[in-house]
Amino acid sequence: MAGAAAVDWEDAARGPCSAGGGSCLFFGDIGDNDRERDRYALYEVKEPDALGGAPRSLTAEVIPFAYPDGSDNSETLLVHPITGAITVVTKVKKKGTAGVYELPARPAAGATATLVRAGSVEAPTGNPSFTGGDVHPDGTGVLLRTYTHVFFYPMTPDQTVAQALAGMPCDMPVADEEQGEAIAWLPGGWDYVTIGEGGEAPIHRVSCEAP
């Protein structure tokens, strides 16, 4: 991504472009283990029609943002596939409740947006640290994962992601992964994939039926 200068890449998501229509990819420079940064950023790029073997460079639109209540650490970026609304879920260290924040609007050129706190979410069981998530391509549910578990939050058409995360989730299957970090829905159904951090980490696929 031309012009990107990330401090700590953590998550990626797919959703409608903020301008001009079409599909875009969003990358989150949202990591802050020491909670000392005063600004974070999202990068938005037009999704290529196809991927080839040659490297390519795409110009990214940078969306700088800050939290309304100080520095925080996050590894979860969620983009609603219909509305394009952007949600960030923070990561707690050992215990506690994660914050759910929304981007109210794109900032003006050269400005920094301030996220709005829209709720909170707590892992029902297992490790409390949310390390990734994804919104179903048809907008009917949200997956959040921790190092040990995956949770599915049903979502109705009139709900925001934050409202869905306030509901009761289902505990979903997940492989025993070394430092489980990422999760994504596959297109055209209810299967999803997960992966842990590290060199040559395997991708695990879970096949599900529609709820």
Side-chain angles (χ1 to χ4, degrees):
M1 288 183 293
V7 177
D8 189 358
W9 292 123
E10 283 295 353
D11 203 7
R14 179 180 184 268
C17 299
S18 59
S23 176
C24 278
L25 303 177
F26 298 81
F27 299 89
D29 175 19
I30 54 179
D32 189 7
N33 287 326
D34 296 327
R35 290 170 171 79
E36 59 186 9
R37 299 173 60 180
D38 59 6
R39 192 176 78 159
Y40 308 84
L42 305 176
Y43 291 90
E44 178 182 354
V45 296
K46 186 79 172 178
E47 184 177 17
D49 293 330
L51 296 176
R56 71 177 72 186
S57 179
L58 298 176
T59 301
E61 177 190 352
V62 60
I63 308 170
F65 73 86
Y67 291 94
D69 43 12
S71 304
D72 217 325
N73 183 36
S74 175
E75 296 187 1
T76 304
L77 171 63
L78 304 167
V79 178
H80 195 289
I82 310 300
T83 67
I86 293 174
T87 304
V88 174
V89 179
T90 62
K91 179 185 179 184
V92 299
K93 290 185 176 180
K94 295 183 179 179
K95 62 180 180 179
T97 301
V100 179
Y101 294 85
E102 294 177 338
L103 180 72
R106 301 296 198 276
T112 298
T114 299
L115 300 186
V116 174
R117 182 153 182 145
S120 60
V121 62
E122 186 171 357
T125 188
N127 190 286
S129 300
F130 291 112
T131 59
D134 199 21
V135 185
H136 193 274
D138 65 8
T140 53
V142 184
L143 289 174
L144 287 184
R145 75 159 303 165
T146 67
Y147 289 124
T148 58
H149 287 73
V150 167
F151 304 105
F152 173 75
Y153 297 79
M155 185 165 62
T156 59
D158 61 334
Q159 283 185 315
T160 65
V161 170
Q163 289 169 340
L165 296 182
M168 184 63 66
C170 303
D171 195 351
M172 304 291 283
V174 64
D176 183 12
E177 295 173 326
E178 183 82 21
Q179 195 171 338
E181 289 279 351
I183 189 166
W185 292 105
L186 292 176
W190 286 87
D191 293 7
Y192 58 89
V193 290
T194 64
I195 190 171
E197 190 170 292
E200 300 183 358
I203 297 175
H204 296 101
R205 177 172 180 161
V206 176
S207 295
C208 297
E209 302 217 356

